[in-house]
């Protein structure tokens, strides 16, 4: 039923009539290969409908042992041959497209299948339904179908993670008011804290941050530690089960033992039986150059995120010295907002730069095979995007407020401007705010843009299309396709990249934001339909590419899993207050030296975690706007330093040792758990292995029957 | 030329004549399958020479697309069918061997090839020659050949490691006398140290350990840190290059794309064309049981090594209370020697227990495929042996002397016996001594035993053989083989296990013993010839098994690489004095607060690293044999504790934090380097990939020529 009408075209080339002569050279080369062509001129455009010769497809079918040639195979073979064809002027289609001889080239949507897919899958009201992956595979090809299969699986696996995340969040909420730590902060209205910045910050009461302390406690409690371990395990199990899921689907598609290399060779032979296969190439010199350039890029990313830090510090100072009073008073907030805008701009610009550099690096490597090129591009692009998006998060998580020196001698940029301090209620809050902004704002915004931009274009083109309406059958269909949005080989890649970046956010800093899986879940439920609608209805038809796995993305996801273990360990060990609290409880608090059971072990923690500085050591600037606190002789700051010489106390070093010990322990335990989980769940279901085994066995038996001069009886 | 004489036998079964009737049942079953048989009775033994029917081998050849059937293939097919044959009493060969109906079954050595191999390879005088791997493959099969290929490669790769190790050792030797630390120790004849044990130890001068301090400095300097990083990198590059080496060899053997599963199916069909293939099975329940039992075993290993610790402590006390004076005076040394004997006995017994338990666990898993069984057995056996051999090293490296409490309150077993202290010159010395003993003694001893035991048996049997000499051609050859040592499927496995354990020693604690690679190199040069002589001349012929990789051992080696990074990081961070010295240099020493360049930054380190305890806090027992030091009021011990309340000082915590920070840093840097190295060196040489590609291409072209009704011209 899926065989197209025998006279239908597989592919359409469009070019301006003024280039007709040049177009004909290429068209002639196609005719020589046996393609049948239909030419239609329409206003100033020339449309060439082409259809691959049956002999070509027969050869493919014979060499691949396929039973039927599906429509997706026709389009794929046509696309391959089209891109490999060299005309008498030694030009390829890509050259001609670049020279504008041809405007565009695309395969055609099939109205009935398109409608069927829309009905079953590509509409918002199908949200609650499972995806008809086989239909998607038949129409958009295995590559796109595997993306949707993966996305569906990821979304499905997010359900338990989101649920546990919500439970952890609720656990935090349950102790919202009851934690003795919060009580201590809220009642500390005699604890006067040192100013957080140089110029216009004043002294403040610790009790002012009561509300923030409550919010911070939501995300910085024992539940978070549990959740971080849970998510490290989740990431492993997710990948293990995905491997099984993929194997099952590949087996169902009869592609379990499919060999990409062989497929490529067959396509080459189909295109030109006299062809010599390309050779694998590898050069250690280009590897070194690539490694060097990637390092340079990474240094640039780190430099950019440090630049952003300096920018915020600088902006705060400049703004607070402005003449306009509202600006002056809210200098800090405005600087943070300005910083966010600059950050967003940097990301937008760097995304384009990254793509360009990644393509350039792939050119240096000169891989002759598309598969390898794609791998190499994927890894580079992901690395660059990862650093672009995460480097400032790493700064917030592990450096912000930790390298600021002490009240007598603050670390200053250009010996003038103090570095930013952590949020008054703790460094974890900064990380939490950053994560919340990224997860909620960035996802929502980028989804809207991603959907609206093709939708608007489509609507706009639709008007053009309807203005040219009353045409005959074939050209009407071609025009309808022509006025849809363009797609490229990158389409599925871009979707994958977006989702893998989201996966990184969901797993890498999940300790700071347990609601991340929940937000990702909500987003993905819509993302599936959004991508489906885009690919089926708003864009021209994808060339259906064949594959049986998600390729290098699997390794990328495994890498993210490792990073997630390291980062979550570090967030809990270094960023959160989990370790200082533990150390206080067992070494310095009231329980350390007494066996009484009725005392709260955390009493006095807040007081203990603050150091004291005599005002005479402070910068005199601070004392200027000290109107509220008249008789102040000292102020407090978060650190473990001696009052006399500002050296770090033994408690600081003990906490420091405990932090590192925790990170070490966390990482090794997580690695062992990951290892056991990977061993426990076989990568390939036994059912798939047995089907494969039976298949091989059947083939051998078939060959045995054909054996000449067999003497023993069967 | 390798084709055997057409009437020669592939395999010989031997049984006592009194079981002849039962033997005939099985022989009949073989005859039915078409085997040709030669029966010879010799004294009370009955010899059955069997030869596989040509039709069987033709089928194999046809299904495998082999060009020639080599002798090794004949033997392998015969062995497979022999073991699969079920006689009319439903008994297999294994059952009959167990019941003693047959005494043994073995393939025959070929005198000419054996001599050729001896000439080229299997003799001590060929030490300096490279191995003729193809000859080995042709005679002993791919599996044994891959073992020798790997062992040769490992030996070859040990050369740079050994050289760097020697350089590091010489670097230590160059500063043997000059280090200011050693000077400080040697001149510290007024520094009186506290007794190291409870009962009969007395006070001692620090300067007594002058000589030991020099030796320790040989292995505990900056060079060691460099060498540990070098070896982590070496292990990665070794594996990467091995993968390439293997791929090249597999390609050369035309086994690059060989499929084990298909081979097994073909053998099954050759044995019985009506066979149904076995099914893959997997049970989560048996996985859980296996996991539980493995954990129990690991707990037992840890318990045993703790038991050994307690045994030594206990023995020391018991011996020092003995009546016999020489024993009493050398109680400590005798206890250590007793401990070593008990340790050796434990290892010997546990090796047998481990094999038994590993086989039992494999039975629980019920894998129907030999390949899977072997994998599972390998991993278990290696894990068990690893824990058996390494658990006491782990104790020495990371716990010995660190959990002993302080002079006022020593940690005591059963509230009576103090734990062992580290060697007076530092904890690294203990680890170094242990490593040196194992590398030198164990290897030499086990090699001698490994070689002598079959050699003696062979010589002994040889006498028997010669006493029966004057026989006719065939039976003479059979008898000659019969009187060689028996081999089993485990032969190659045992050699591999031994070498992989050695590889573990060479990489995991290399930081404590930079000469390990050198010793391993020397050992391996002999080991290759030893194994060669054993397999070619002292033992019956191995069934030549076919494979194209070393299987699960690759993963085991990768696991060892990871463990090596962790352990070397820990040895340098925790066991050695590298970190305390660094911390002293930059934070507490004379350079910390002065910018003078002419002072030695390490002056005062030894003094700083000792704590003081007033004698009144000591156990009165110690003061009994205090004849040498009359006016002593305090003694010193290695630790960072306050003199008043024995709490750990800030410096201790700072060093502790630095130790963990170092381990974290070391591990992550090593992982990144490993990752980059793995990326930089492609697993498969491009040459091999291209040969494979051309092979696939040629196959496709061949098929294309056979395509029926081709319309387009070639």
């Amino acid at each position: 039923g899926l065989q197209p009408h025998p006279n239908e075209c597989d592919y359409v080339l469009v070019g301006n009539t003024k280039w007709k002569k040049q177009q004909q050279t290429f068209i002639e080369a196609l005719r020589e290969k046996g393609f049948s062509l239909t030419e239609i001129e329409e206003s100033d455009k020339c449309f060439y409908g082409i259809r691959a010769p049956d002999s070509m497809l027969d050869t493919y079918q014979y060499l691949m042992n396929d039973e039927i040639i599906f429509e997706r195979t026709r389009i794929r073979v046509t696309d391959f041959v089209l891109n490999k064809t060299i005309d008498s002027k030694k030009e390829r289609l890509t050259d001609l497209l670049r020279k504008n001889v041809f405007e565009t080239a695309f395969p055609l949507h099939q109205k009935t299948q398109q409608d069927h897919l829309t009905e079953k899958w590509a509409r918002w009201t199908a949200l609650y339904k499972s995806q008809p992956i086989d239909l998607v595979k038949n129409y958009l090809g295995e590559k796109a179908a595997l993306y949707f299969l993966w996305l569906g699986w990821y979304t499905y696996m997010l359900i338990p993670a989101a649920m546990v995340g919500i439970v952890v969040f609720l656990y935090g909420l349950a102790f919202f008011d009851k934690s003795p730590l919060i009580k201590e902060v809220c009642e500390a209205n005699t604890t006067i804290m040192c100013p957080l910045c140089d110029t216009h910050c004043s002294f403040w009461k610790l009790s002012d941050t009561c509300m923030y302390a409550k919010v911070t406690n939501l995300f910085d409690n024992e539940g978070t530690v549990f959740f971080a371990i849970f998510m490290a395990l989740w990431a492993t199990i997710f990948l293990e089960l995905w491997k099984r899921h993929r194997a099952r689907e590949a087996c169902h598609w009869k592609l379990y033992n499919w060999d990409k290399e062989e497929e490529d060779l067959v396509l080459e032979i189909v295109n030109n039986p006299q062809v010599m296969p390309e050779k694998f190439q590898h050069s250690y010199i280009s590897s070194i150059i690539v490694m060097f350039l990637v390092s340079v890029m990474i240094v640039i990313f780190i430099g950019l995120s440090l630049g952003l830090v300096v920018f915020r510090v600088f902006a705060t100072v400049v703004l607070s010295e402005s003449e306009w009073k509202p600006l002056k008073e809210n200098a800090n907030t405005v600087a943070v907002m300005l910083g966010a805008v600059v950050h967003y701009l940097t990301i937008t610009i760097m995304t384009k730069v990254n793509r360009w550099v990644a393509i350039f690096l792939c050119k240096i490597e000169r891989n002759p095979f598309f598969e390898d090129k794609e791998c190499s591009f994927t890894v580079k692009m992901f690395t660059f995007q990862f650093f672009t998006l995460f480097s400032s998060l790493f700064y917030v998580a592990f450096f912000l407020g930790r390298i600021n020196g002490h009240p007598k001698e603050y670390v200053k940029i250009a010996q003038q401007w103090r570095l930013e301090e952590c949020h008054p209620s703790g460094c974890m809050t900064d990380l939490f705010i950053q994560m919340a902004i990224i997860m909620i704002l960035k996802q929502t915004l980028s989804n809207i843009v991603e959907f609206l931009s093709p939708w608007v274009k489509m609507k706009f083109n639709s008007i053009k299309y309807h203005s040219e309406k009353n045409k005959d059958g074939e050209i009407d269909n071609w025009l309808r396709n022509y006025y849809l949005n363009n797609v490229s080989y990158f389409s599925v890649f871009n979707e994958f990249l977006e989702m893998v970046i989201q996966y990184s956010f969901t797993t890498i800093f999940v300790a700071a934001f347990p609601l991340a899986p929940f937000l990702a879940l909500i987003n993905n439920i819509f993302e599936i339909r959004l991508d489906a609608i885009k690919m089926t209805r708003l864009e021209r038809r994808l060339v259906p590419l064949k594959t049986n796995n998600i390729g290098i993305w699997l390794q990328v996801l495994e890498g993210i899993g490792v990073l997630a273990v390291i980062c979550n360990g570090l967030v809990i060990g270094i960023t959160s207050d989990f370790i200082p609290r533990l150390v206080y409880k067992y070494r310095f608090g009231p329980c350390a030296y007494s066996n009484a059971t009725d005392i709260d072990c955390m009493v006095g923690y807040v007081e203990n975690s603050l150091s004291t500085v005599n005002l005479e050591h402070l910068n005199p600037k601070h004392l200027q706007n000290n109107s509220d606190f008249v008789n102040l002789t000292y102020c407090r700051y978060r650190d473990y330093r001696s009052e006399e010489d500002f050296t770090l106390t033994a408690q600081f070093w003990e906490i420091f040792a405990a932090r590192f010990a925790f990170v070490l322990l966390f990482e090794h335990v997580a690695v062992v758990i990951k290892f056991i989980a990977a061993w426990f769940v076989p990568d390939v279901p036994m059912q798939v292995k047995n089907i494969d085994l039976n298949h091989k066995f059947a083939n051998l038996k078939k060959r045995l029957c054909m054996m000449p001069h067999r003497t023993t009886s069967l």
Side-chain angles (χ1 to χ4, degrees), chain A:
Chain A
L2 290 174
Q3 286 278 44
H5 188 271
N7 293 322
E8 264 177 37
C9 293
D10 302 316
Y11 224 89
V12 170
L13 298 175
V14 185
N16 198 299
T17 38
K18 68 177 172 186
W19 297 97
K20 189 143 191 188
K21 215 175 132 198
Q22 286 89 332
Q23 286 159 15
Q24 286 300 333
T25 324
F26 189 74
I27 295 300
E28 203 46 50
L30 289 181
R31 269 211 189 92
E32 267 168 36
K33 289 203 169 174
F35 279 90
S36 48
L37 280 128
T38 320
E39 265 182 64
I40 300 176
E41 280 192 39
E42 171 66 35
S43 50
D44 61 341
K45 303 266 187 298
C46 201
F47 289 77
Y48 303 89
I50 62 174
R51 183 178 162 80
D54 286 339
S55 66
M56 201 173 253
L57 293 161
D58 287 347
T59 312
Y60 177 87
Q61 184 175 8
Y62 171 75
L63 289 176
M64 293 300 293
N65 279 326
D66 276 3
E67 279 159 28
I68 318 171
I69 289 289
F70 292 103
E71 191 203 16
R72 61 175 188 278
T73 313
R74 288 192 69 90
I75 296 180
R76 195 157 47 82
V77 173
T78 308
D79 181 71
F80 183 87
V81 175
L82 210 55
N83 279 296
K84 283 274 175 179
T85 300
I86 303 170
D87 66 14
S88 54
K89 287 179 181 162
K90 302 272 173 214
E91 287 186 307
R92 286 164 184 270
L93 184 57
T94 42
D95 304 318
L96 298 171
L97 283 168
R98 203 172 40 235
K99 287 183 178 174
N100 251 329
V101 171
F102 285 108
E103 189 191 322
T104 185
F106 51 85
L108 290 168
H109 273 299
Q110 299 302 122
K111 197 81 182 80
T112 42
Q113 291 181 55
Q114 201 181 7
D115 289 348
H116 190 51
L117 216 51
T118 307
E119 163 72 23
K120 293 270 180 194
W121 179 57
R123 58 190 171 91
W124 295 109
T125 41
L127 266 187
Y128 59 94
K129 284 187 193 167
S130 66
Q131 302 185 78
I133 290 292
D134 279 356
L135 278 185
V136 177
K137 180 200 70 170
N138 289 339
Y139 194 67
L140 297 173
E142 283 84 355
K143 192 159 193 167
L146 264 170
Y147 164 68
F148 284 106
L149 187 75
W150 178 82
L151 183 54
W153 184 249
Y154 171 40
T155 309
Y156 177 70
M157 286 295 287
L158 274 173
I159 297 173
M163 271 163 37
V164 175
I166 290 173
V167 168
V168 168
F169 178 77
L170 291 178
Y171 169 84
L173 212 59
F175 294 95
F176 193 67
D177 277 330
K178 286 157 204 141
S179 163
L181 297 180
I182 289 173
K183 213 175 130 207
E184 260 179 72
V185 171
C186 294
E187 286 169 0
N189 51 11
T190 57
T191 309
I192 310 302
M193 303 291 289
C194 302
L196 286 178
C197 66
D198 247 8
T199 343
H200 296 276
C201 297
S202 76
F203 295 89
W204 50 286
K205 288 183 196 161
L206 186 58
S207 57
D208 293 350
T209 59
C210 172
M211 191 56 215
Y212 284 121
K214 286 177 183 172
V215 174
T216 304
N217 200 50
L218 276 181
F219 300 99
D220 191 358
N221 55 47
E222 312 80 52
T224 323
V225 181
F226 161 76
F227 193 55
I229 296 169
F230 172 82
M231 284 303 286
L233 192 60
W234 176 87
T236 310
I237 290 177
F238 165 69
L239 277 186
E240 287 301 312
L241 294 182
W242 160 250
K243 284 179 201 158
R244 291 170 70 85
H245 196 54
R246 194 233 29 126
R248 219 175 275 123
E249 204 66 28
C251 181
H252 171 62
W253 293 348
K254 300 199 170 52
L255 292 179
Y256 182 68
N257 268 330
W258 175 76
D259 181 355
K260 174 75 188 158
E261 271 174 27
E262 200 174 308
E263 169 96 28
D264 284 348
L265 287 175
V266 168
L267 285 173
E268 289 280 4
I269 290 177
V270 162
N271 175 44
N272 172 13
Q274 270 79 41
V275 79
M276 284 310 295
E278 303 226 44
K279 286 203 180 315
F280 285 99
Q281 282 165 22
H282 184 262
S283 144
Y284 285 105
I285 294 168
S286 69
S287 287
I288 291 171
I289 295 173
V290 165
M291 193 155 55
F292 174 74
L293 291 177
V294 168
S295 315
V296 169
M297 283 299 283
I298 290 175
V299 169
I300 291 174
F301 296 130
I302 295 170
L304 279 176
S305 74
L306 292 183
L308 204 67
V309 171
V310 175
F311 171 81
R312 276 204 301 268
V313 170
F314 186 73
T316 315
V317 173
V318 168
L319 289 172
S320 64
E321 280 160 6
S322 107
E323 299 288 305
W324 193 36
K325 214 181 156 213
L327 193 62
K328 190 173 172 165
E329 274 169 5
N330 295 302
N332 211 18
T333 321
V334 176
V336 168
M337 281 164 64
L338 265 182
V341 171
V342 172
H343 191 192
Y344 186 79
L345 287 178
T346 323
I347 290 176
T348 316
I349 294 167
M350 285 313 288
T351 304
K352 293 207 194 308
V353 174
N354 289 345
R355 186 175 294 268
W356 185 82
V357 175
I359 289 174
F360 173 75
L361 290 178
C362 286
K363 275 189 191 146
I364 289 181
E365 287 180 333
R366 273 192 269 167
N367 277 320
F369 293 93
F370 179 72
E371 190 89 327
D372 296 340
K373 257 184 225 161
E374 201 187 10
C375 254
S376 158
F377 177 76
T378 304
V379 172
K380 289 180 186 64
M381 191 65 194
F382 174 77
T383 312
F384 292 165
Q385 282 299 86
F386 180 82
F387 275 95
T388 308
L389 290 164
F390 279 75
S391 51
S392 67
L393 271 183
F394 278 104
Y395 173 79
V396 170
F398 306 126
F399 297 101
L400 180 67
R402 276 142 219 285
I403 47 173
N404 292 21
H406 52 79
K408 196 182 172 189
E409 201 180 334
Y410 282 117
V411 172
K412 287 182 177 177
I413 299 174
Q415 270 124 38
Q416 288 195 54
W417 304 302
R418 257 177 79 181
L419 289 173
E420 291 163 297
E421 289 280 348
C422 283
H423 190 274
S425 69
C427 297
M428 195 79 163
T429 317
D430 293 272
L431 188 58
F432 161 66
I433 292 172
Q434 288 274 345
M435 283 294 294
I437 289 176
I438 288 172
M439 290 297 289
I440 297 170
L441 223 70
K442 197 183 151 297
Q443 280 201 349
T444 319
L445 267 180
S446 73
N447 269 353
I448 290 173
V449 170
E450 196 190 328
F451 186 74
L452 274 191
S453 122
W455 189 80
V456 167
K457 269 193 212 157
M458 199 273 281
K459 283 286 160 199
F460 179 72
N461 282 334
S462 175
I463 295 163
K464 278 206 227 162
Y465 165 64
H466 283 291
S467 71
E468 307 182 31
K469 191 119 186 198
N470 43 8
K471 305 286 165 201
D472 293 349
E474 200 141 24
I475 186 70
D476 180 60
N477 186 25
W478 293 3
L479 276 174
R480 198 171 57 84
N481 277 277
Y482 173 71
Y483 281 123
L484 290 176
N485 289 288
N486 199 8
V487 287
S488 73
Y489 288 107
F490 286 123
S491 293
V492 175
F493 171 83
N494 288 338
E495 302 299 338
F496 234 121
L497 181 64
E498 190 194 330
M499 280 300 105
V500 171
I501 292 279
Q502 188 217 60
Y503 178 82
S504 314
F505 276 114
T506 318
T507 51
I508 288 183
F509 285 115
V510 77
F513 190 45
L515 290 181
F518 178 69
L519 292 180
L521 174 64
I522 300 292
N523 176 73
N524 288 3
I525 290 173
F526 289 95
E527 178 82 29
I528 293 177
R529 303 304 151 176
L530 192 154
D531 290 342
I533 293 172
K534 214 170 62 177
M535 289 191 194
T536 327
R537 287 154 58 191
L538 305 186
E539 293 180 341
R540 289 184 196 142
R541 187 167 179 181
L542 277 175
V543 175
L545 292 179
K546 194 169 174 181
T547 186
N548 66 356
N549 58 50
I550 56 170
I552 195 76
W553 286 117
L554 188 72
Q555 277 83 49
V556 171
L557 291 172
E558 274 171 359
I560 295 172
V562 172
L563 264 182
V565 168
I566 297 174
C567 289
N568 282 310
L570 286 172
V571 166
I572 295 172
I574 312 283
T575 317
S576 91
D577 279 347
F578 176 70
I579 299 295
R581 284 181 202 160
L582 266 193
V583 171
Y584 180 79
K585 189 167 172 184
Y586 293 108
R587 299 267 313 166
F588 297 92
C591 301
Y593 301 105
S594 117
N595 289 323
T597 49
D598 54 343
I599 46 167
D600 186 326
C601 296
M602 294 308 290
V603 166
Y605 170 74
V606 174
E607 172 66 23
N608 175 275
S609 71
L610 299 175
S611 293
T612 306
V613 57
N614 199 307
L615 287 201
E616 68 202 27
H617 292 304
L618 276 197
N619 191 325
K621 277 190 213 165
H622 291 310
L623 307 173
Q624 289 166 9
N625 38 8
N626 182 13
S627 48
D628 300 344
F629 310 99
V630 184
N631 291 322
L632 210 61
T633 56
Y634 64 90
C635 67
R636 314 292 302 268
Y637 61 104
R638 268 173 217 279
D639 211 338
Y640 297 92
R641 286 183 185 271
S642 112
E643 202 176 333
E644 293 88 39
D645 54 3
F646 297 100
T647 54
L648 296 160
T649 60
Q651 190 180 358
F652 171 85
W653 290 112
E654 199 166 336
I655 290 171
F656 210 54
R659 283 183 192 276
F660 284 133
F662 173 83
V663 175
L664 265 183
L665 195 73
F666 182 89
E667 284 185 6
H668 290 127
V669 168
V671 165
V672 169
I673 290 177
K674 274 175 101 76
F675 179 79
I676 291 175
W679 166 80
F680 191 69
V681 184
D683 279 4
V684 180
M686 290 304 127
Q687 204 192 347
V688 171
K689 273 188 163 180
N690 283 325
I691 289 173
D692 181 52
L693 198 70
N694 283 332
H695 180 71
K696 279 182 190 160
F697 187 71
N699 275 348
L700 284 171
K701 291 279 268 201
K702 214 160 72 186
R703 285 200 59 206
L704 191 64
C705 291
M706 298 189 302
M707 181 175 169
H709 321 302
R710 247 186 84 74
T711 47
T712 57
S713 64
L714 269 174

